[in-house]
mmCIF file of all heavy atoms in Angstrom:
data_model
loop_
_atom_site.group_PDB
_atom_site.id
_atom_site.type_symbol
_atom_site.label_atom_id
_atom_site.label_comp_id
_atom_site.label_asym_id
_atom_site.label_seq_id
_atom_site.Cartn_x
_atom_site.Cartn_y
_atom_site.Cartn_z
ATOM 1 N N TYR A 1 -144.757 -35.337 -57.002
ATOM 2 C CA TYR A 1 -144.213 -35.321 -55.648
ATOM 3 C C TYR A 1 -144.349 -36.686 -54.981
ATOM 4 O O TYR A 1 -143.423 -37.165 -54.322
ATOM 5 C CB TYR A 1 -144.919 -34.255 -54.801
ATOM 6 C CG TYR A 1 -144.234 -32.916 -54.856
ATOM 7 C CD1 TYR A 1 -144.577 -31.963 -55.794
ATOM 8 C CD2 TYR A 1 -143.214 -32.610 -53.966
ATOM 9 C CE1 TYR A 1 -143.948 -30.737 -55.847
ATOM 10 C CE2 TYR A 1 -142.573 -31.388 -54.010
ATOM 11 C CZ TYR A 1 -142.950 -30.453 -54.944
ATOM 12 O OH TYR A 1 -142.300 -29.253 -54.992
ATOM 13 N N GLU A 2 -145.506 -37.326 -55.153
ATOM 14 C CA GLU A 2 -145.734 -38.627 -54.536
ATOM 15 C C GLU A 2 -144.821 -39.692 -55.141
ATOM 16 O O GLU A 2 -144.271 -40.537 -54.417
ATOM 17 C CB GLU A 2 -147.198 -39.032 -54.708
ATOM 18 C CG GLU A 2 -147.580 -40.255 -53.920
ATOM 19 C CD GLU A 2 -149.048 -40.612 -54.076
ATOM 20 O OE1 GLU A 2 -149.834 -39.750 -54.518
ATOM 21 O OE2 GLU A 2 -149.385 -41.770 -53.764
ATOM 22 N N ALA A 3 -144.623 -39.656 -56.464
ATOM 23 C CA ALA A 3 -143.747 -40.628 -57.120
ATOM 24 C C ALA A 3 -142.311 -40.486 -56.643
ATOM 25 O O ALA A 3 -141.635 -41.480 -56.364
ATOM 26 C CB ALA A 3 -143.818 -40.462 -58.635
ATOM 27 N N VAL A 4 -141.845 -39.249 -56.524
ATOM 28 C CA VAL A 4 -140.472 -39.030 -56.055
ATOM 29 C C VAL A 4 -140.340 -39.463 -54.601
ATOM 30 O O VAL A 4 -139.332 -40.062 -54.210
ATOM 31 C CB VAL A 4 -140.064 -37.549 -56.246
ATOM 32 C CG1 VAL A 4 -138.738 -37.257 -55.570
ATOM 33 C CG2 VAL A 4 -139.988 -37.213 -57.718
ATOM 34 N N GLU A 5 -141.363 -39.203 -53.806
ATOM 35 C CA GLU A 5 -141.328 -39.606 -52.389
ATOM 36 C C GLU A 5 -141.257 -41.130 -52.260
ATOM 37 O O GLU A 5 -140.545 -41.654 -51.404
ATOM 38 C CB GLU A 5 -142.574 -39.066 -51.681
ATOM 39 C CG GLU A 5 -142.460 -39.015 -50.187
ATOM 40 C CD GLU A 5 -141.348 -38.116 -49.669
ATOM 41 O OE1 GLU A 5 -141.137 -37.023 -50.217
ATOM 42 O OE2 GLU A 5 -140.678 -38.533 -48.709
ATOM 43 N N LEU A 6 -141.984 -41.844 -53.131
ATOM 44 C CA LEU A 6 -141.950 -43.302 -53.097
ATOM 45 C C LEU A 6 -140.602 -43.851 -53.563
ATOM 46 O O LEU A 6 -140.194 -44.937 -53.149
ATOM 47 C CB LEU A 6 -143.059 -43.881 -53.985
ATOM 48 C CG LEU A 6 -144.482 -43.760 -53.461
ATOM 49 C CD1 LEU A 6 -145.475 -44.184 -54.526
ATOM 50 C CD2 LEU A 6 -144.659 -44.597 -52.209
ATOM 51 N N ALA A 7 -139.912 -43.123 -54.425
ATOM 52 C CA ALA A 7 -138.652 -43.605 -55.000
ATOM 53 C C ALA A 7 -137.438 -43.235 -54.166
ATOM 54 O O ALA A 7 -136.349 -43.748 -54.411
ATOM 55 C CB ALA A 7 -138.485 -43.041 -56.407
ATOM 56 N N LYS A 8 -137.595 -42.379 -53.157
ATOM 57 C CA LYS A 8 -136.446 -41.894 -52.380
ATOM 58 C C LYS A 8 -135.825 -42.999 -51.526
ATOM 59 O O LYS A 8 -136.515 -43.620 -50.722
ATOM 60 C CB LYS A 8 -136.882 -40.781 -51.420
ATOM 61 C CG LYS A 8 -137.008 -39.438 -52.026
ATOM 62 C CD LYS A 8 -137.320 -38.451 -50.916
ATOM 63 C CE LYS A 8 -137.511 -37.065 -51.433
ATOM 64 N NZ LYS A 8 -137.767 -36.132 -50.326
ATOM 65 N N PRO A 9 -134.520 -43.216 -51.653
ATOM 66 C CA PRO A 9 -133.841 -44.129 -50.729
ATOM 67 C C PRO A 9 -133.475 -43.380 -49.449
ATOM 68 O O PRO A 9 -133.408 -42.144 -49.444
ATOM 69 C CB PRO A 9 -132.586 -44.535 -51.502
ATOM 70 C CG PRO A 9 -132.302 -43.349 -52.348
ATOM 71 C CD PRO A 9 -133.634 -42.747 -52.710
ATOM 72 N N ILE A 10 -133.230 -44.110 -48.373
ATOM 73 C CA ILE A 10 -132.840 -43.441 -47.131
ATOM 74 C C ILE A 10 -131.367 -43.650 -46.810
ATOM 75 O O ILE A 10 -130.843 -43.018 -45.903
ATOM 76 C CB ILE A 10 -133.706 -43.896 -45.940
ATOM 77 C CG1 ILE A 10 -133.625 -45.396 -45.749
ATOM 78 C CG2 ILE A 10 -135.132 -43.428 -46.109
ATOM 79 C CD1 ILE A 10 -134.278 -45.896 -44.486
ATOM 80 N N LEU A 11 -130.712 -44.550 -47.550
ATOM 81 C CA LEU A 11 -129.299 -44.784 -47.275
ATOM 82 C C LEU A 11 -128.557 -45.141 -48.546
ATOM 83 O O LEU A 11 -129.155 -45.440 -49.564
ATOM 84 C CB LEU A 11 -129.123 -45.887 -46.227
ATOM 85 C CG LEU A 11 -129.789 -47.246 -46.456
ATOM 86 C CD1 LEU A 11 -128.910 -48.150 -47.274
ATOM 87 C CD2 LEU A 11 -130.088 -47.879 -45.128
ATOM 88 N N ARG A 12 -127.242 -45.070 -48.452
ATOM 89 C CA ARG A 12 -126.369 -45.496 -49.540
ATOM 90 C C ARG A 12 -125.303 -46.394 -48.952
ATOM 91 O O ARG A 12 -125.056 -46.372 -47.741
ATOM 92 C CB ARG A 12 -125.745 -44.300 -50.251
ATOM 93 C CG ARG A 12 -124.771 -43.526 -49.392
ATOM 94 C CD ARG A 12 -124.210 -42.323 -50.139
ATOM 95 N NE ARG A 12 -123.463 -41.474 -49.243
ATOM 96 C CZ ARG A 12 -122.150 -41.568 -49.047
ATOM 97 N NH1 ARG A 12 -121.454 -42.473 -49.690
ATOM 98 N NH2 ARG A 12 -121.529 -40.756 -48.213
ATOM 99 N N MET A 13 -124.662 -47.166 -49.795
ATOM 100 C CA MET A 13 -123.609 -48.056 -49.332
ATOM 101 C C MET A 13 -122.261 -47.485 -49.754
ATOM 102 O O MET A 13 -122.094 -47.030 -50.883
ATOM 103 C CB MET A 13 -123.787 -49.452 -49.933
ATOM 104 C CG MET A 13 -125.099 -50.110 -49.583
ATOM 105 S SD MET A 13 -125.451 -50.183 -47.826
ATOM 106 C CE MET A 13 -124.175 -51.272 -47.300
ATOM 107 N N GLN A 14 -121.321 -47.498 -48.813
ATOM 108 C CA GLN A 14 -119.976 -47.028 -49.113
ATOM 109 C C GLN A 14 -118.987 -48.119 -48.721
ATOM 110 O O GLN A 14 -119.096 -48.718 -47.654
ATOM 111 C CB GLN A 14 -119.687 -45.744 -48.350
ATOM 112 C CG GLN A 14 -118.368 -45.130 -48.724
ATOM 113 C CD GLN A 14 -118.272 -43.694 -48.239
ATOM 114 O OE1 GLN A 14 -119.267 -43.073 -47.912
ATOM 115 N NE2 GLN A 14 -117.060 -43.187 -48.181
ATOM 116 N N SER A 15 -118.022 -48.364 -49.595
ATOM 117 C CA SER A 15 -117.024 -49.396 -49.329
ATOM 118 C C SER A 15 -115.945 -48.840 -48.417
ATOM 119 O O SER A 15 -115.518 -47.700 -48.560
ATOM 120 C CB SER A 15 -116.387 -49.877 -50.628
ATOM 121 O OG SER A 15 -117.360 -50.493 -51.419
ATOM 122 N N ARG A 16 -115.498 -49.686 -47.483
ATOM 123 C CA ARG A 16 -114.443 -49.300 -46.561
ATOM 124 C C ARG A 16 -113.527 -50.480 -46.392
ATOM 125 O O ARG A 16 -113.969 -51.588 -46.111
ATOM 126 C CB ARG A 16 -115.063 -48.914 -45.218
ATOM 127 C CG ARG A 16 -114.104 -48.825 -44.071
ATOM 128 C CD ARG A 16 -113.586 -47.405 -43.934
ATOM 129 N NE ARG A 16 -113.039 -47.170 -42.623
ATOM 130 C CZ ARG A 16 -111.744 -47.268 -42.338
ATOM 131 N NH1 ARG A 16 -110.894 -47.617 -43.267
ATOM 132 N NH2 ARG A 16 -111.301 -47.017 -41.133
ATOM 133 N N LYS A 17 -112.237 -50.257 -46.606
ATOM 134 C CA LYS A 17 -111.271 -51.328 -46.438
ATOM 135 C C LYS A 17 -110.774 -51.326 -45.006
ATOM 136 O O LYS A 17 -110.336 -50.309 -44.492
ATOM 137 C CB LYS A 17 -110.100 -51.104 -47.387
ATOM 138 C CG LYS A 17 -109.887 -52.276 -48.305
ATOM 139 C CD LYS A 17 -108.720 -52.057 -49.189
ATOM 140 C CE LYS A 17 -107.940 -53.323 -49.193
ATOM 141 N NZ LYS A 17 -107.723 -53.933 -50.429
ATOM 142 N N GLN A 18 -110.869 -52.468 -44.367
ATOM 143 C CA GLN A 18 -110.373 -52.592 -43.003
ATOM 144 C C GLN A 18 -109.626 -53.908 -42.908
ATOM 145 O O GLN A 18 -110.197 -54.976 -43.110
ATOM 146 C CB GLN A 18 -111.531 -52.542 -42.010
ATOM 147 C CG GLN A 18 -111.048 -52.390 -40.584
ATOM 148 C CD GLN A 18 -112.208 -52.107 -39.652
ATOM 149 O OE1 GLN A 18 -113.310 -52.575 -39.893
ATOM 150 N NE2 GLN A 18 -111.948 -51.370 -38.600
ATOM 151 N N GLY A 19 -108.345 -53.805 -42.609
ATOM 152 C CA GLY A 19 -107.526 -55.002 -42.602
ATOM 153 C C GLY A 19 -107.394 -55.499 -44.020
ATOM 154 O O GLY A 19 -107.009 -54.776 -44.919
ATOM 155 N N GLY A 20 -107.714 -56.758 -44.248
ATOM 156 C CA GLY A 20 -107.590 -57.330 -45.581
ATOM 157 C C GLY A 20 -108.902 -57.428 -46.323
ATOM 158 O O GLY A 20 -108.938 -57.920 -47.432
ATOM 159 N N LYS A 21 -109.984 -56.979 -45.704
ATOM 160 C CA LYS A 21 -111.275 -57.148 -46.379
ATOM 161 C C LYS A 21 -111.983 -55.815 -46.588
ATOM 162 O O LYS A 21 -111.778 -54.852 -45.860
ATOM 163 C CB LYS A 21 -112.170 -58.113 -45.614
ATOM 164 C CG LYS A 21 -112.465 -57.728 -44.194
ATOM 165 C CD LYS A 21 -113.283 -58.821 -43.555
ATOM 166 C CE LYS A 21 -113.560 -58.460 -42.091
ATOM 167 N NZ LYS A 21 -114.354 -59.445 -41.429
ATOM 168 N N THR A 22 -112.828 -55.800 -47.586
ATOM 169 C CA THR A 22 -113.617 -54.622 -47.897
ATOM 170 C C THR A 22 -115.012 -54.809 -47.330
ATOM 171 O O THR A 22 -115.647 -55.836 -47.542
ATOM 172 C CB THR A 22 -113.707 -54.429 -49.422
ATOM 173 O OG1 THR A 22 -112.393 -54.376 -49.957
ATOM 174 C CG2 THR A 22 -114.443 -53.156 -49.767
ATOM 175 N N MET A 23 -115.479 -53.787 -46.617
ATOM 176 C CA MET A 23 -116.806 -53.867 -45.999
ATOM 177 C C MET A 23 -117.721 -52.835 -46.619
ATOM 178 O O MET A 23 -117.290 -51.751 -46.999
ATOM 179 C CB MET A 23 -116.710 -53.585 -44.507
ATOM 180 C CG MET A 23 -115.844 -54.544 -43.760
ATOM 181 S SD MET A 23 -115.414 -53.757 -42.275
ATOM 182 C CE MET A 23 -115.861 -54.782 -41.025
ATOM 183 N N GLN A 24 -118.983 -53.176 -46.711
ATOM 184 C CA GLN A 24 -120.004 -52.235 -47.151
ATOM 185 C C GLN A 24 -120.577 -51.569 -45.906
ATOM 186 O O GLN A 24 -121.087 -52.243 -45.023
ATOM 187 C CB GLN A 24 -121.113 -52.970 -47.900
ATOM 188 C CG GLN A 24 -120.682 -53.554 -49.218
ATOM 189 C CD GLN A 24 -120.555 -52.491 -50.283
ATOM 190 O OE1 GLN A 24 -121.187 -51.455 -50.216
ATOM 191 N NE2 GLN A 24 -119.716 -52.752 -51.259
ATOM 192 N N VAL A 25 -120.494 -50.245 -45.847
ATOM 193 C CA VAL A 25 -120.991 -49.506 -44.698
ATOM 194 C C VAL A 25 -122.208 -48.685 -45.129
ATOM 195 O O VAL A 25 -122.102 -47.874 -46.055
ATOM 196 C CB VAL A 25 -119.901 -48.565 -44.130
ATOM 197 C CG1 VAL A 25 -120.421 -47.805 -42.930
ATOM 198 C CG2 VAL A 25 -118.653 -49.352 -43.775
ATOM 199 N N PRO A 26 -123.359 -48.889 -44.482
ATOM 200 C CA PRO A 26 -124.532 -48.079 -44.831
ATOM 201 C C PRO A 26 -124.375 -46.657 -44.287
ATOM 202 O O PRO A 26 -124.022 -46.463 -43.133
ATOM 203 C CB PRO A 26 -125.695 -48.806 -44.161
ATOM 204 C CG PRO A 26 -125.092 -49.669 -43.124
ATOM 205 C CD PRO A 26 -123.671 -49.928 -43.504
ATOM 206 N N MET A 27 -124.629 -45.673 -45.157
ATOM 207 C CA MET A 27 -124.529 -44.263 -44.780
ATOM 208 C C MET A 27 -125.895 -43.612 -45.019
ATOM 209 O O MET A 27 -126.470 -43.785 -46.094
ATOM 210 C CB MET A 27 -123.485 -43.547 -45.634
ATOM 211 C CG MET A 27 -122.107 -44.149 -45.604
ATOM 212 S SD MET A 27 -121.276 -43.880 -44.062
ATOM 213 C CE MET A 27 -120.961 -42.154 -44.173
ATOM 214 N N PRO A 28 -126.404 -42.851 -44.042
ATOM 215 C CA PRO A 28 -127.698 -42.193 -44.267
ATOM 216 C C PRO A 28 -127.581 -41.057 -45.284
ATOM 217 O O PRO A 28 -126.530 -40.432 -45.420
ATOM 218 C CB PRO A 28 -128.057 -41.651 -42.881
ATOM 219 C CG PRO A 28 -126.757 -41.505 -42.186
ATOM 220 C CD PRO A 28 -125.860 -42.576 -42.729
ATOM 221 N N LEU A 29 -128.665 -40.821 -46.008
ATOM 222 C CA LEU A 29 -128.724 -39.729 -46.984
ATOM 223 C C LEU A 29 -129.578 -38.602 -46.417
ATOM 224 O O LEU A 29 -130.599 -38.867 -45.777
ATOM 225 C CB LEU A 29 -129.357 -40.211 -48.287
ATOM 226 C CG LEU A 29 -128.592 -41.257 -49.085
ATOM 227 C CD1 LEU A 29 -129.449 -41.761 -50.233
ATOM 228 C CD2 LEU A 29 -127.307 -40.682 -49.616
ATOM 229 N N ASN A 30 -129.173 -37.366 -46.662
ATOM 230 C CA ASN A 30 -130.041 -36.262 -46.267
ATOM 231 C C ASN A 30 -131.136 -36.089 -47.323
ATOM 232 O O ASN A 30 -131.149 -36.788 -48.342
ATOM 233 C CB ASN A 30 -129.245 -34.973 -46.016
ATOM 234 C CG ASN A 30 -128.565 -34.430 -47.240
ATOM 235 O OD1 ASN A 30 -129.056 -34.598 -48.351
ATOM 236 N ND2 ASN A 30 -127.444 -33.766 -47.049
ATOM 237 N N ALA A 31 -132.043 -35.161 -47.107
ATOM 238 C CA ALA A 31 -133.220 -35.026 -47.970
ATOM 239 C C ALA A 31 -132.829 -34.704 -49.410
ATOM 240 O O ALA A 31 -133.380 -35.276 -50.356
ATOM 241 C CB ALA A 31 -134.148 -33.954 -47.423
#
């Protein structure tokens, strides 16, 4: 349990195209 808790990320990155450029948008993760 402790190892998994230490390894858990709190966000993920999602690509979003806006205009002519692609942006990385941080998205929160649920448990």
